[in-house]
Amino acid sequence: MSEYILEMKDIKKHFGGIKALDGVDLKVKAGEVHALLGENGAGKSTLMKILGGAYVKDSGEIYVDGEKVQISSPSQSQKHGIAVIYQEQALVGCLSVADNIMLGRIPNRKGVIRNKALVKYALDAMERVGSTFNPGTLVKDLSVAQKQFVEIAKAVSMDARIIVMDEPTSVLTLPETEVLFSLIHKLKQQKRSLIYISHRLEELPMIADTCSVLKDGVYVGSRGMKDVTKDTLISMMTGRKIQKIYPDKPETFGDVRLEVENLSYKKVFQNISFSIRAGEILGFSGLVGSGRSEVARAIFGVDPLEEGSIRLDGEEIKVKSPGKALEQGIVYITEDRKGDGLLLGMSVYDNISISTLKNWAKTGVIHHIQEKAAVKKYMELLKVKCIDGNQAVGELSGGNQQKAMIARAMLTQAKVIIIDEPTRGVDVGTKTEIYRIVRDMADKGAAVLMISSELPEVIGMSDRVLVMYNGKISGEIPAAEATEENILLSATGGN
């Protein structure tokens, strides 16, 4: 009997003329956490989609418990005890949490749904992953982080022996991440195997036993986590050393560019007041559910306001819709690329230019040559990797999708840039590029409001940090005094 619960040998996959995987190997032991690493576009998610039955390999072999298996659909993957939690969540928004957890396995008697059993099974799965929200809640009403726990609960409820987690902590706060890690240790004790994809290299020593690295669709190698350093992993992933992650911070800023006063909306957030100067990056921290994103959405006109005022360069403005916000010079880069940020079936060109189409259609006809020239400039500046600008943006890696959203914001040349979770699910090399770009936008005079759940990112990028707790601002911390400890203290209601 094989010592490996899973073996993937010489896996190859092409998309048109693009070689996504070129002879990749992966071996996972029972009861281990195996980290799968690589830059965006390295092939990690493609390999896992083959394992999960979302893609069919061109060639290669897959073995489970030493026996060769064929996986050509998600149902076949599940029959072999495999559950994949994808980075881009695959839940049905109009159904309840319980329905999503048990989807495809709804308990019934002669076609009639057994609702009590359904809720019982769902509650049991939720308790096992440390979630406490109502199983009857519609998924569309959950936060991104809550949806992540629904995905994990669904995998646990399937009693899978091999569980793939693709960027599970990218939308989780530190306390939620600790709950997840505790769950992972419990799953290990049950001899379940986990394949763990993450760009947060600092968290891997806490949970991973082994790691494998891919680069440009090729297998680089595997190491025991105890035998590698963060710098070693970065070199394996990128082929280079990254000396400096965060750009330098300026010593002075311009005049106040954005000022909000007493913003309130029902019980979501109350009496929110702050200002941002031209050239300043204001970090917005707090636990998921504290109201950070809701405030940002209200400033951009996505959500309504009951009270409060917004001033831009000293003049009060009324923002009743995203279109009006863009006209005033405010742009918002959402945390949810798939749900709110991108038109996945449309091209990279169209996704980047969609907020500025009026610039290329002054006579009612879009001048595509001018439009594409402007878009290409920002694609090159941000190093967006794609076949060409006509490729569907939904086919790009998560990091390149993120760059496309930032390119769209840059093209607007907005005075105020609100960016929510700027590096969610992107690799360390791409993070460094995004940090440079965000700082460059500030240096050119933009006021930047940056929402992030990654405390090192908040500290490394922010010129000042605001912290929210329970819908209110609980603290304001100068950059020189910002530490993970005092940010967390404010984020949990401490003084």
Side-chain angles (χ1 to χ4, degrees):
M1 185 175 178
S2 173
E3 64 175 313
Y4 299 104
I5 190 172
L6 172 70
E7 294 180 81
M8 302 182 77
K9 298 182 179 180
D10 198 26
I11 303 297
K12 296 182 179 180
K13 181 65 180 178
H14 292 74
F15 294 100
I18 302 297
K19 189 181 290 184
L21 297 173
D22 189 12
V24 171
D25 295 337
L26 181 67
K27 296 180 179 181
V28 181
K29 294 180 180 179
E32 80 166 348
V33 177
H34 195 114
L36 183 60
L37 309 176
E39 291 188 285
N40 291 111
K44 308 180 302 295
S45 294
T46 299
L47 186 66
M48 292 302 97
K49 286 180 178 179
I50 289 172
L51 182 62
Y55 292 161
V56 177
K57 58 183 171 53
D58 294 338
S59 62
E61 298 174 333
I62 301 174
Y63 294 83
V64 176
D65 285 331
E67 294 187 10
K68 187 175 180 180
V69 299
Q70 295 296 329
I71 298 176
S72 57
S73 69
S75 60
Q76 284 185 336
S77 177
Q78 291 170 17
K79 286 179 181 178
H80 292 297
I82 300 165
V84 181
I85 303 168
Y86 295 110
Q87 180 182 347
E88 301 295 352
Q89 296 159 344
L91 299 172
V92 183
C94 62
L95 296 180
S96 71
V97 169
D99 289 334
N100 272 275
I101 290 174
M102 299 302 296
L103 200 61
R105 300 168 293 131
I106 301 290
N108 67 89
R109 183 178 289 112
K110 295 182 178 180
V112 179
I113 295 174
R114 298 165 56 206
N115 286 305
K116 287 185 178 180
L118 172 67
V119 172
K120 179 181 180 299
Y121 294 146
L123 276 172
D124 177 65
M126 290 170 64
E127 287 174 2
R128 290 164 69 185
V129 301
S131 295
T132 57
F133 45 88
N134 191 329
T137 303
L138 295 182
V139 162
K140 67 181 179 64
D141 295 329
L142 300 180
S143 69
V144 176
Q146 288 172 326
K147 291 176 183 176
Q148 185 71 288
F149 276 102
V150 174
E151 290 272 26
I152 296 169
K154 183 176 181 179
V156 168
S157 74
M158 293 165 58
D159 227 17
R161 295 181 302 137
I162 301 168
I163 300 175
V164 178
M165 295 185 177
D166 193 348
E167 295 292 349
T169 62
S170 64
V171 294
L172 303 184
T173 61
L174 184 58
E176 290 167 332
T177 297
E178 290 174 349
V179 172
L180 175 64
F181 287 176
S182 176
L183 171 63
I184 287 173
H185 287 302
K186 289 179 183 177
L187 293 172
K188 279 183 62 177
Q189 291 171 0
Q190 298 169 12
K191 292 298 181 181
R192 301 180 197 275
S193 302
L194 290 99
I195 301 172
Y196 190 92
I197 300 175
S198 178
H199 293 302
R200 293 183 175 180
L201 301 183
E202 65 277 2
E203 70 188 18
L204 298 181
M206 291 182 272
I207 55 167
D209 304 296
T210 310
C211 66
S212 292
V213 177
L214 304 184
K215 178 174 171 55
D216 298 328
V218 176
Y219 172 72
V220 175
S222 298
R223 305 277 185 87
M225 280 305 305
K226 294 179 180 179
D227 302 326
V228 293
T229 64
K230 183 177 179 180
D231 288 344
T232 302
L233 291 177
I234 291 173
S235 295
M236 290 175 71
M237 289 164 56
T238 66
R240 65 188 189 279
K241 289 186 177 181
I242 297 177
Q243 302 291 346
K244 188 176 181 181
I245 295 177
Y246 301 106
D248 294 331
K249 298 179 182 180
E251 296 181 359
T252 60
F253 307 103
D255 296 332
V256 172
R257 175 130 278 178
L258 175 71
E259 186 176 12
V260 303
E261 187 174 1
N262 297 325
L263 299 187
S264 299
Y265 177 62
K266 294 183 177 180
K267 295 182 179 180
V268 180
F269 54 85
Q270 303 86 37
N271 303 318
I272 303 298
S273 299
F274 62 84
S275 63
I276 316 176
R277 293 181 175 274
E280 183 182 25
I281 297 176
L282 178 64
F284 218 25
S285 189
L287 304 182
V288 171
S290 63
R292 305 168 308 170
S293 296
E294 289 78 5
V295 170
R297 287 165 60 90
I299 294 172
F300 189 59
V302 179
D303 296 335
L305 282 171
E306 287 182 331
E307 297 179 16
S309 61
I310 301 173
R311 293 184 180 86
L312 187 62
D313 290 334
E315 294 187 11
E316 186 169 349
I317 60 173
K318 300 294 182 183
V319 182
K320 296 182 178 180
S321 69
K324 289 294 182 183
L326 284 168
E327 288 178 9
Q328 299 282 1
I330 302 173
V331 69
Y332 173 55
I333 303 171
T334 178
E335 65 174 329
D336 188 356
R337 291 190 293 263
K338 182 179 178 181
D340 298 330
L342 297 168
L343 300 166
L344 299 177
M346 293 179 66
S347 71
V348 178
Y349 283 142
D350 290 339
N351 271 275
I352 293 175
S353 69
I354 195 166
S355 295
T356 49
L357 281 179
K358 64 180 181 180
N359 295 348
W360 329 114
K362 294 179 180 179
T363 60
V365 178
I366 298 175
H367 295 277
H368 291 293
I369 294 177
Q370 296 176 8
E371 174 199 10
K372 289 185 177 180
V375 170
K376 283 181 179 178
K377 173 185 173 183
Y378 286 100
M379 287 177 64
E380 291 171 0
L381 181 65
L382 273 70
K383 301 177 183 176
V384 179
K385 293 182 181 178
C386 56
I387 297 173
D388 59 41
N390 293 308
Q391 185 178 5
V393 77
E395 296 175 1
L396 305 188
S397 68
N400 284 299
Q401 289 179 353
Q402 190 74 6
K403 287 182 182 180
M405 288 202 301
I406 295 173
R408 180 200 299 161
M410 293 178 71
L411 197 56
T412 67
Q413 297 184 332
K415 297 178 180 179
V416 176
I417 297 167
I418 304 170
I419 183 165
D420 198 344
E421 303 292 357
T423 61
R424 178 191 167 202
V426 303
D427 61 76
V428 65
T430 303
K431 279 186 178 184
T432 303
E433 292 177 14
I434 289 175
Y435 295 150
R436 173 186 57 79
I437 292 160
V438 172
R439 177 56 71 183
D440 187 58
M441 290 190 288
D443 288 345
K444 290 179 179 176
V448 179
L449 179 63
M450 188 190 79
I451 303 167
S452 177
S453 299
E454 290 195 39
L455 294 184
E457 180 170 270
V458 171
I459 294 167
M461 285 296 293
S462 303
D463 301 305
R464 185 164 46 101
V465 181
L466 285 183
V467 186
M468 286 193 68
Y469 169 71
N470 200 25
K472 297 180 180 179
I473 292 177
S474 58
E476 180 175 337
I477 307 171
E481 301 174 16
T483 64
E484 293 192 20
E485 289 76 15
N486 57 24
I487 292 175
L488 274 174
L489 186 64
S490 289
T492 53
N495 296 318

